[in-house]
Each structure stands twice: as structure tokens, then as C-alpha cells.
Amino acid sequence: MRAITRELARFAVNSEFKKIPKAVQHEGLRALINFIGCAAGGASEPAVTTMLNTIKEFNGKNDTVVIGLEGKLDALNAALINSLSSASLSFNDTHYATVAHPTSPVAAALVSMASRVNLSGEEFIHGLILGDEIQCRIGNILCTPPGSVSVGLSMAGLVGCIGAAVAAGKALKLNEEQMIHAIGLAANQSAGLREAHASMGSPFTLGNAGRAGLWAALLSAKGYTCTESMIEGVKGFSVSFGTQTNPEVALKNIGEDWEMLDVAYKPYPCGFVIHPIIDACLQLIKKHTFDGKLIEKVELTVNPLCIQLCNRPNPENRSHAMVSFPHWTAVTLMHKAAGLPQVTEKMVFDSDIAKLRQKIHATASEEIGREAAKIKVTMENGEIFHANCETTLGTKERPMSDSDITEKTRLQLEIAFNQSTSQKIVEQCWEIPQLSQITTLLTQLSKNKSNMSL
């Protein structure tokens, strides 16, 4: 059997930033900027404040920035909170093939490493690329046909911790043996169930992955060991979480083809399988003028995963609504928009939206990709409108532009900072590769520059 864990570790340890294609380097920067916005935008969410109230009793040395909040935390708790906050509004990035959300735990672990080892902007991006790349490749083991993984397992939780360990391990300059152990220790903490969707437990999966991966790397640096075949072993990651898997998929064209280029950025704050529906709704709205209150029926054709993950016709709260395709369909058709202003409790209990949710019917089709959706709207007067989203905004085929990511990040930063500070931060973000110490920027991401405990 091929030593998959070792070869992945060797790839990470031997990787040189200058040899990574410029397009991949730039994608790493885009992923980091997207993360910064998501972490700032989600920092005041109940899942984050409740977690902070729980962990502050156990916090250690206050040496790590918590994005969008006052004060600092110790490295492990900061990795937990920064990853958690970046996932709290369901606005973090997605790897479509695996449904992982790679950058949340990876970037959070690197924020915790930045001041400990004085990372440059380039070194930070390098670690982020490797962490995202390797976790997505390991995820491919479970998702590449004929391999499959239970829909109940959270890919973000299964592989996110491994990505965080690789990124932190690169920052620590682990050797090959140490990186093998870091990957193994992280894989041994893989966890997450999709049943937690629509609750605080969902972003906690990403928070835990960030902390677990960082911890794995720190343990390995101190000589803590693990089995060297944790990915491919007969009782390892591959066979434990998947069926009919081929671990060698993780090494296919490594260093030549980059999964990093398939990471998608969300234009809408909700589950990614809902995005093509929103796009189809917006297409329809652009073509036709109608009153959402006069809709008789809405018929959707979607990928089966959309129904499996987001079929919540009666969301009970804002968290439920963020992963409810009936809700987002109704909101978009009624309000002609799908952004942060639509992520409110008021929208959940709006009587017109509630009525329209009950008129939405979805059919699953294997012929519809995860990035596609069709919509048919029938009005009370008999008029019928159609729209078809073949590829949703944010995917590799239809990517968000740098200016799109700038605007998305700026709007999220404004949840935590004033407009002028937000504009200054987002402008500086694009200069990260030139920073000799990324802490120059990270300190500005805290609302309080002091070292006060949270």
C-alpha cells in the first residue's frame, strides 16, 4: 500500500512558495481576505458570544488576536473562536467536490501561529494554500466515485482539522516525520455531524477543527507521536469514514493540479447548495416584474444534496433559515435581494414570506449539478416565469472577482468596525504578500489594541 500520509507530509514540508503557480498564490490571498471578512462579520453572533462566555474561565495566555472583538485569547482558544466566527453566518468558502469549508480552520490556526513565529504575509498565504490543498485532497478520497461518504458526516469537520495541522505545521517548520504525526493527530480528532446544521453546533464543527489542527501541530513539534498511516491504514481515516475509497486519489497530479483553484466564495450568506436557487430567482427577477405576494406556486429542480441538507420549509429561527432553501427562495422572490440585510429574525416570522414558503415545491434530479438549479413561478393570474442557473456565482466557472470579494469583505468588516476603518483594512488586505510580519495587519483586526483579557 502506498504511504499516502507520508507523501502528503513530504509535499507540505518540501513545498516552496516561489514554485507555486501565481494563480494559486493569488487564490490563497483571496481565500484569506474572504476569511477575514467572514470572521469579523460573525464575531458578534450568539454562537461566538456564548462560546466566549464558556471558555474565558479556562483561557490561558492572552497573546492571540480575536478578529472583530476586543482583547486577546490564548492560541488554542483564539483558533477556536476565529474559525467559529468565520462560519457563523454560513458565508465562508466551500470546496464543491467535498463540501468542505477549507479556509476557516486553516486561517484561524495560522492567526494563532503568526505572532508565535513572526510569519510574513507570504508565509501565511503559503501555509493557507497547503492546508486548504491537502485537506481537500484527503476529502477527495471519500468523495471520488466509486468512493462515498455518509451524508450525515460533516466533511468540514472530518478534514478541516487536518488542513489546520498542515498549515500550523508548515509555520512551525516541522520536518517530514513531525508533519506525519501532526496529520495523524489531527485525523484522530476528525469529527462532525450534519445533524447539527441550523444550530450553534454547526459552526462549532469548524471552530473545533481549527483548534484541533493547531493542537496537533503543537503536540507534534514537542515530540508527540501518532501512527504513520492514519490516512491509508487498514483502520485509518479512509476506511473509517468512507466506502469503496481509493486513498491514492489524494496524490493525483499533486503539485500540478490544485484543488485550491476549485475553492468557491459565497456571494450569499447561506448553505452553498442554496446559491443556484438564489441565482435563478435573481435571473427571473431581472427579466420580469411581479409582486411576490401574488405568486401561486414555485417549482424548483435541484441537485439531491440541496434537499438532503436544506429542506426546512418551516424554519423556527434565524439559524434554521440560513440553511433553508424554501426560506431563501421566498425571501429572494419577495424582497428581490439575498444578502446580509435579509439574514434577520424578522424575515423568519414575516407572514408573507411564511405563506410563500408553503407554495414552494422542489424536485431532486441527479442530472442537476450542485452548482445549478431551475425555477418555474406561476402567478395567480396564470402568468408563468422560468429561469435556469447553470453555474452559480462564486464557482470556478463563474468566480467572484477581486472587487466582489473586496465589497463582500468590506460589508462584513462594517459589522465590527466603522466604515473608514473597514475600508482601510480591506485595502491593506490586498498588500498582505508584501508584509514582512502579518501581525502588522492582524493587530488592526482587533477592536481593542490592548492585551486585556476578554
Side-chain angles (χ1 to χ4, degrees):
M1 179 180 292
R2 195 168 178 182
I4 307 300
T5 309
R6 178 172 292 280
E7 291 195 43
L8 289 171
R10 182 178 299 148
F11 173 76
V13 169
N14 293 338
S15 174
E16 298 178 41
F17 187 72
K18 64 183 179 181
K19 293 183 179 180
I20 293 176
K22 294 295 184 183
V24 179
Q25 293 180 13
H26 187 64
E27 209 58 50
L29 176 60
R30 282 159 52 90
L32 175 54
I33 295 172
N34 186 74
F35 162 81
I36 288 171
C38 292
S44 59
E45 287 296 300
V48 178
T49 55
T50 303
M51 182 66 73
L52 280 170
N53 288 334
T54 303
I55 66 174
K56 64 183 180 181
E57 177 184 352
F58 310 103
N59 191 51
K61 184 179 180 182
N62 298 304
D63 60 357
T64 305
V65 166
V66 184
I67 297 173
L69 294 171
E70 296 181 355
K72 295 184 177 183
L73 290 171
D74 66 48
L76 290 172
N77 280 328
L80 167 65
I81 294 298
N82 283 324
S83 186
L84 172 69
S85 63
S86 74
S88 291
L89 282 171
S90 295
F91 226 175
N92 49 341
D93 60 18
T94 302
H95 182 245
Y96 267 64
T98 61
V99 202
H101 304 293
T103 306
S104 288
V106 167
L110 286 167
V111 169
S112 292
M113 289 303 308
S115 59
R116 298 172 68 88
V117 295
N118 293 321
L119 290 180
S120 68
E122 189 175 280
E123 289 170 330
F124 194 109
I125 294 170
H126 191 190
L128 186 152
I129 290 169
L130 293 173
D132 280 15
E133 181 71 19
I134 288 178
Q135 70 167 292
C136 291
R137 284 179 165 274
I138 291 174
N140 285 345
I141 295 172
L142 305 182
C143 300
T144 302
S148 64
V149 61
S150 168
V151 71
L153 290 173
S154 167
M155 286 297 299
L158 297 188
V159 300
C161 52
I162 300 173
V166 169
K170 186 67 175 179
L172 287 164
K173 295 181 170 56
L174 298 185
N175 61 35
E176 184 177 313
E177 295 300 322
Q178 291 172 317
M179 187 67 83
I180 289 170
H181 298 312
I183 290 172
L185 290 167
N188 205 35
Q189 299 176 78
S190 293
L193 300 175
R194 286 199 173 113
E195 188 66 21
H197 273 193
S199 73
M200 291 182 183
S202 184
F204 172 69
T205 299
L206 273 299
N208 185 62
R211 179 180 59 182
L214 174 61
W215 194 12
L218 292 171
L219 284 170
S220 182
K222 294 293 186 182
Y224 213 94
T225 63
C226 191
T227 307
E228 296 185 4
S229 54
M230 286 294 283
I231 302 301
E232 71 277 11
V234 294
K235 297 182 288 293
F237 179 93
S238 175
V239 298
S240 296
F241 292 118
T243 57
Q244 293 185 281
T245 58
N246 176 12
E248 292 193 22
V249 168
L251 298 173
K252 184 178 180 181
N253 297 328
I254 192 167
E256 298 176 13
D257 296 337
W258 291 85
E259 296 297 320
M260 184 76 222
L261 295 176
D262 288 334
V263 172
Y265 308 101
K266 293 182 177 181
Y268 315 115
C270 58
F272 85 96
V273 290
I274 302 173
H275 290 200
I277 297 175
I278 293 175
D279 266 356
C281 289
L282 293 175
Q283 284 183 33
L284 190 146
I285 289 163
K286 189 175 181 179
K287 294 178 183 176
H288 308 283
T289 300
F290 59 89
D291 185 345
K293 296 179 183 179
L294 301 180
I295 291 175
E296 177 70 28
K297 181 169 63 173
V298 178
E299 297 170 83
L300 301 170
T301 307
V302 297
N303 182 270
L305 192 64
C306 179
I307 294 177
Q308 291 171 350
L309 297 183
C310 297
N311 187 20
R312 292 182 174 83
N314 299 299
E316 298 176 5
N317 52 48
R318 179 168 167 266
S319 295
H320 285 185
M322 282 195 286
V323 285
S324 164
F325 77 77
H327 177 75
W328 277 102
T329 305
V331 166
T332 308
L333 292 174
M334 193 71 68
H335 289 267
K336 312 300 189 284
L340 288 173
Q342 283 71 50
V343 185
T344 65
E345 288 285 336
K346 182 179 179 181
M347 293 287 182
V348 179
F349 300 106
D350 181 282
S351 59
D352 292 325
I353 291 173
K355 289 177 184 177
L356 185 51
R357 285 196 299 254
Q358 304 311 309
K359 300 176 181 179
I360 296 168
H361 308 277
T363 300
S365 172
E366 293 286 355
E367 297 180 358
I368 298 288
R370 294 178 181 179
E371 70 289 344
K374 295 180 181 179
I375 186 171
K376 175 183 177 182
V377 173
T378 303
M379 304 300 294
E380 290 179 356
N381 64 3
E383 285 187 283
I384 297 176
F385 306 133
H386 294 270
N388 178 19
C389 173
E390 295 182 357
T391 304
T392 190
L393 179 62
T395 56
K396 181 180 180 180
E397 293 75 16
R398 192 181 162 209
M400 291 182 71
S401 67
D402 288 356
S403 59
D404 289 336
I405 289 177
T406 295
E407 183 65 5
K408 174 186 173 181
T409 300
R410 183 185 64 80
L411 291 173
Q412 290 182 98
L413 285 166
E414 287 182 5
I415 297 174
F417 305 98
N418 61 40
Q419 288 186 354
S420 61
T421 299
S422 299
Q423 183 64 34
K424 180 180 178 182
I425 290 173
V426 78
E427 289 173 358
Q428 291 179 335
C429 281
W430 290 104
E431 303 300 322
I432 286 173
Q434 284 74 54
L435 295 177
S436 59
Q437 289 188 330
I438 198 170
T439 50
T440 304
L441 174 64
L442 294 180
T443 53
Q444 297 181 54
L445 295 174
S446 172
K447 292 178 71 173
N448 185 332
K449 306 302 190 300
S450 75
N451 291 323
M452 291 172 56
S453 175
L454 284 168

